Amino acid sequence: LKGWHQFGQWTPEAVRAAIRHFDRSIGLDPHCALPFSGKATAYTFLAALGQMPGKVAYPRAREAALKAMELEDSTGASHTAMATVLFFYDWDFQGAYEHFQKALTLTPGAAELRKLYAMYLKALGDLEGAEDELQLAVQMDPLSPALRTALGEVLVHRKHFEEGEGELRRVQELDPEFRSAREILGWSFHNQGRFEEALREWEEINARTADPFKVIPHRMRALVGLGRVEEARQLFRLLEERREREPEISLEIDFAMAHLALGEDEPALGYLEKALDQKLGMAVFFRVFPPFQHLRSHPRFQAMLDRVGIPEPEQASP
């Protein structure tokens, strides 16, 4: 329970703490599948965001998921763990779908499962289906900041800005320090051309974390929208400094977004290709991630989508 509470904070630091709790739980009862399932999902999260090298995190995630399946293959949590690894690492969308469906059959009332399945649907472009799953998840656990943030994000992606912002404001009432909600709220403002408000939300993340390296590409986009291009270029240099200070973190997607903020498509495409080489799990969202939409017609970007194997919506399993 402590592990899942930490995982629900949706920050790399908290997810690392979750892994420590799961390991303690395994030490207490090595024959229980649940902590192995949690450990698999946590390592997948770190690898997907580039917070841990994929060559380190994904083998650990797969080992934990397989152990969970070995111990209890009749529990939804075990199938959820396996689905998550297949989805984010193997890019095996059909295999992930089958395990998600098995998990949903075994534990239809698991809110975290609904969130993960919603992420799968979002990757396929089924935003309506993702919203339906998250609405169910929020009904199951209305006090979860992570679930409401995920719902708010899908609503923003669907351009239901007022409704999405309402969910994100509720998260801030529940937990003012839940930074993912503030990040998505900034995107909502940005996508409506409200660049000053977007910049204010993103700079608040820096203030609350006392970390100047947070959300650099986001702030760059807002500054460019406000015509403050030179300030955006200064932030790009700050991103380069972060790469020197934190070489263990994969910043390819950050650099891609930073170049896109400056209108530099070709270098951005180069970084996205490097992200695929590193098997960054967030590649499954390339088709639907709003900052990448204008790249859809570029042959190099289309080749990346083909490489990940993201099914077109009409090809996805029902």
Side-chain angles (χ1 to χ4, degrees), residues 27-299:
L28 292 168
D29 184 357
H31 301 292
C32 178
L34 290 176
F36 288 101
S37 303
K39 190 174 176 179
T41 306
Y43 273 119
T44 300
F45 176 95
L46 292 175
L49 293 182
Q51 293 292 322
M52 182 178 286
K55 63 182 180 182
V56 174
Y58 280 125
R60 295 178 184 178
R62 186 188 302 281
E63 180 183 8
L66 288 171
K67 185 65 176 179
M69 290 288 294
E70 175 190 330
L71 290 170
E72 296 181 66
D73 66 355
S74 61
T75 65
S78 298
H79 287 278
T80 301
M82 185 57 65
T84 305
V85 173
L86 291 172
F87 174 40
F88 282 108
Y89 181 56
D90 293 316
W91 301 336
D92 179 356
F93 292 87
Q94 183 59 36
Y97 173 80
E98 291 170 2
H99 280 283
F100 274 130
Q101 290 302 306
K102 184 69 172 177
L104 288 165
T105 300
L106 291 168
T107 51
E112 181 66 25
L113 164 59
R114 295 281 174 179
K115 183 189 77 177
L116 291 167
Y117 184 52
M119 295 174 75
Y120 171 86
L121 294 174
K122 184 175 74 171
L124 301 183
D126 183 4
L127 296 180
E128 184 177 356
E131 181 187 338
D132 290 344
E133 292 295 330
L134 289 166
Q135 293 282 11
L136 280 173
V138 168
Q139 289 176 27
M140 296 170 187
D141 189 356
L143 298 181
S144 167
L147 295 178
R148 284 199 179 274
T149 297
L151 175 58
E153 182 177 19
V154 168
L155 289 166
V156 168
H157 278 201
R158 298 193 70 195
K159 296 183 169 53
H160 299 170
F161 297 117
E162 184 175 353
E163 191 178 351
E165 289 165 20
E167 291 293 340
L168 296 166
R169 291 298 189 196
R170 290 188 189 96
V171 174
Q172 291 181 327
E173 292 171 4
L174 289 168
D175 184 355
E177 302 303 320
F178 197 80
R179 66 177 183 244
S180 293
R182 198 173 298 277
E183 181 180 341
I184 303 305
L185 189 60
W187 278 120
S188 182
F189 294 147
H190 177 277
N191 294 346
Q192 298 172 73
R194 297 157 63 183
F195 302 121
E196 197 73 58
E197 293 168 89
L199 183 60
R200 186 160 54 246
E201 292 295 334
W202 291 332
E203 288 182 335
E204 183 66 16
I205 293 174
N206 298 121
R208 287 178 176 270
T209 60
D211 186 346
F213 295 123
K214 297 298 183 188
V215 291
I216 290 174
H218 309 56
R219 288 182 282 153
M220 288 178 63
R221 290 184 76 91
L223 288 168
V224 170
L226 292 167
R228 295 157 60 180
V229 178
E230 185 51 41
E231 291 179 63
R233 293 191 182 280
Q234 291 174 10
L235 280 181
F236 189 89
R237 290 190 281 274
L238 189 63
L239 186 60
E240 291 176 323
E241 181 183 340
R242 185 186 184 189
R243 178 167 57 186
E244 294 176 4
R245 290 193 180 194
E246 303 178 75
E248 73 283 358
I249 295 178
S250 298
L251 294 171
E252 277 67 27
I253 292 179
D254 292 69
F255 272 97
M257 290 174 60
H259 280 293
L260 290 174
L262 297 172
E264 300 167 352
D265 288 358
E266 291 302 317
L269 287 163
Y271 275 107
L272 292 178
E273 287 167 344
K274 290 178 182 177
L276 263 62
D277 292 340
Q278 294 185 13
K279 294 287 286 188
L280 284 184
M282 299 311 289
V284 297
F285 300 115
F286 277 11
R287 187 190 299 282
V288 296
F289 191 43
F292 299 165
Q293 289 304 292
H294 79 282
L295 297 173
R296 287 287 299 276
S297 60
H298 198 293

